[in-house]
Amino acid sequence: MNEDTNSELEQELLENHATEMNKLILRIYYYASIAPFLVFIETLIGAFKASLWLTGGTALYSIGLCFLLKHIYRRNPSNKLFRYFAAVVMQSVVFILSIDPHLNISLTRIAVPLITFVFFDPVYTCGVCILSSLSTLAACVIRAPMVITLITGDYTVKSYLLTTGSGLLIELILMSGLICACSVQSRKIFLKYSAYNHKNQELKNQVVYSFAEIVEQCDTNTGEHVKRTSQIVDLIVNYIENHKIYSDEISKEELKLFTVAAPLHDIGKIKIPDSILNKPGRLNAEEFEIIKQHSAEGDKIIQNTLKTIEDPLYIEIAHQMTRYHHEKWDGTGYPDHLAGSEIPLSARVMAIADVFDALSSERPYKKPYTKDQVFSEISHSSGTQFDPDMVVIVQALRPELEKIYWAETQA
């Protein structure tokens, strides 16, 4: 890959990773916000001699910020500003608590900078280290007059700042330097590892697609069925993701695998005799029963062949699309007669893509349907053969689908 491609890949990897880490940061803050509340309870019962106003106010402040952070995250989970705002929020809680001389929370000063590691962003880590250091030094100055009242001996604010403050400054500089250096190195390792995984996945995808094309060559009646159905699946997947449909049912990671697994949906045809697969005409009842076996046979091939080279989630999606893409919404499909939402979403997507291509393409027993006939047939099958939601999506994608199948006619 050239430098531009590498740069784009790195950016995409980091952005996708940052979205997941924003979710992690929100979860960490949920748990961390319990600490000020516990400090307040212990102050209330006399375990700490800290100020009730300070600890109680901090507890309310941290809980209130929980709701604010959650609101910001929900509006845009990938927002880069979220991580900076979260860092300021968490550090502000540490700052407020560290003002009270009765509370010793020295280790907490580096907690927020350490959390930044999960983003593999040295600039962000460096910025948070500076923020943490400044807030810690400011807290040290503010609490100095209160501290010397608790210390026996000839101590003044100036002497306290010169001794404790200078030692604290040295610690902050050393810890910040170490954290920033580790952040740079962790970013390099992350990008190197991710790039390797990406190349490895591309290679596996090429192998799988080539395997599917070999099988398709056995079926001379279907043309470029694998390529076209994969395009339709990709369009549907992008529509689902962009419109946040089924967001509570399936993750983005799973959705992306729909397109990758789609080429394998007819892999079982390799087990069907050529005399039936390439018959120049309609199949009789006995032959149709034989060809129906391709979905179950394809599932066996996937389970027995790919499980050693692919991850379990990919295997599951490929299994669903291969075995169930001939199931019908009303339960009259095959091989397991599933109905409605019993049919996995991936198979519902594959089913409509498969039939759309069959209707739009020439077969030995029929001419291709016109575009109006195809969309009319798809609509007519809503709630019987297809998931009604899938029909709505396909109708919404009509301009894009017409470019794939009828571009020459339109020209």
Side-chain angles (χ1 to χ4, degrees):
M1 292 188 290
N2 56 41
E3 291 184 6
D4 290 340
T5 304
N6 275 330
S7 179
E8 290 177 4
L9 175 59
E10 288 180 0
Q11 188 64 28
E12 182 182 356
L13 288 170
L14 288 169
E15 286 179 0
N16 292 338
H17 176 73
T19 300
E20 293 302 314
M21 291 305 100
N22 280 347
K23 184 190 298 183
L24 175 62
I25 288 295
L26 185 60
R27 191 178 298 119
I28 289 173
Y29 186 78
Y30 284 161
Y31 295 130
S33 64
I34 298 173
F37 185 74
L38 293 176
V39 171
F40 170 66
I41 295 297
E42 291 185 296
T43 304
L44 194 63
I45 63 177
F48 283 144
K49 294 182 179 180
S51 166
L52 278 172
W53 286 104
L54 179 68
T55 55
T58 305
L60 291 174
Y61 172 74
S62 62
I63 292 172
L65 287 175
C66 271
F67 292 100
L68 181 58
L69 279 173
K70 186 176 182 180
H71 174 71
I72 295 172
Y73 175 79
R74 281 185 171 180
R75 289 190 65 182
N76 185 1
S78 61
N79 192 344
K80 190 174 183 179
L81 291 177
F82 172 86
R83 73 176 84 161
Y84 287 97
F85 182 70
V88 171
V89 165
M90 286 189 279
Q91 192 60 41
S92 68
V93 173
V94 175
F95 169 75
I96 294 171
L97 289 175
S98 62
I99 289 174
D100 195 299
H102 297 88
L103 295 175
N104 185 6
I105 55 171
S106 55
L107 292 177
T108 311
R109 295 167 187 154
I110 63 170
V112 180
L114 285 173
I115 292 172
T116 65
F117 265 88
V118 297
F119 287 96
F120 306 115
D121 185 348
V123 175
Y124 174 53
T125 297
C126 181
V128 175
C129 282
I130 293 172
L131 170 68
S132 176
S133 299
L134 291 176
S135 69
T136 301
L137 291 172
C140 180
V141 172
I142 293 172
R143 66 187 270 166
M146 295 178 281
V147 170
I148 61 173
T149 63
L150 304 175
I151 301 175
T152 58
D154 188 20
Y155 257 88
T156 64
V157 171
K158 183 178 180 180
S159 61
Y160 173 79
L161 291 176
L162 286 174
T163 54
T164 304
S166 59
L168 183 61
L169 180 61
I170 293 172
E171 286 181 352
L172 291 172
I173 291 173
L174 291 175
M175 290 302 301
S176 296
L178 179 61
I179 290 172
C180 290
C182 291
S183 179
V184 171
Q185 190 61 28
S186 64
R187 179 188 175 94
K188 291 179 180 178
I189 294 172
F190 170 75
L191 290 175
K192 183 177 180 179
Y193 178 76
S194 298
Y196 171 78
N197 278 347
H198 181 79
K199 290 179 181 178
N200 188 38
Q201 188 59 53
E202 279 191 333
L203 178 60
K204 289 193 289 186
N205 290 346
Q206 290 173 5
V207 171
V208 168
Y209 200 87
S210 298
F211 191 18
E213 284 188 323
I214 291 171
V215 175
E216 187 172 72
Q217 289 174 9
C218 298
D219 186 356
T220 58
N221 291 329
T222 57
E224 295 186 331
H225 178 69
V226 167
K227 178 181 178 180
R228 292 191 300 266
T229 51
S230 296
Q231 285 179 291
I232 298 173
V233 169
D234 191 49
L235 286 174
I236 295 174
V237 163
N238 289 332
Y239 187 93
I240 291 173
E241 184 174 350
N242 293 336
H243 290 78
K244 294 181 172 56
I245 308 171
Y246 303 111
S247 57
D248 58 339
E249 183 178 332
I250 197 162
S251 66
K252 289 184 178 181
E253 182 185 5
E254 290 176 280
L255 269 177
K256 290 180 179 179
L257 289 176
F258 286 13
T259 304
V260 181
L264 293 175
H265 73 280
D266 275 340
I267 199 78
K269 286 185 175 179
I270 199 171
K271 295 283 191 176
I272 306 301
D274 289 346
S275 58
I276 295 176
L277 201 58
N278 295 314
K279 181 179 178 179
R282 286 190 175 276
L283 302 177
N284 58 40
E286 183 181 351
E287 291 168 335
F288 185 62
E289 288 301 315
I290 293 174
I291 205 167
K292 280 167 63 176
Q293 296 172 13
H294 80 276
S295 55
E297 291 295 336
D299 185 27
K300 291 178 185 178
I301 292 173
I302 287 171
Q303 299 287 0
N304 296 331
T305 306
L306 298 181
K307 64 182 179 182
T308 57
I309 64 170
E310 287 289 355
D311 64 86
L313 183 57
Y314 177 91
I315 296 297
E316 178 61 21
I317 297 297
H319 147 71
Q320 293 172 357
M321 299 183 89
T322 302
R323 185 173 184 86
Y324 303 126
H325 71 279
H326 283 294
E327 299 288 358
K328 296 183 179 180
W329 189 254
D330 61 6
T332 60
Y334 63 87
D336 298 321
H337 307 293
L338 302 182
S341 58
E342 292 179 339
I343 306 169
L345 179 60
S346 58
R348 278 135 59 189
V349 172
M350 191 70 248
I352 201 166
D354 191 43
V355 174
F356 188 97
D357 183 70
L359 293 173
S360 308
S361 307
E362 185 173 0
R363 295 289 188 268
Y365 53 87
K366 76 170 189 67
K367 294 292 183 181
Y369 283 26
T370 66
K371 57 185 176 183
D372 290 334
Q373 287 175 324
V374 171
F375 285 99
S376 176
E377 184 66 26
I378 293 293
S379 293
H380 182 71
S381 301
S382 177
T384 53
Q385 185 167 2
F386 306 123
D387 176 352
D389 289 343
M390 289 298 113
V391 174
V392 171
I393 292 172
V394 166
Q395 293 292 351
L397 291 170
R398 179 164 181 164
E400 289 85 350
L401 291 168
E402 287 185 358
K403 288 178 184 178
I404 297 174
Y405 286 91
W406 296 282
E408 294 181 3
T409 305
Q410 291 174 345

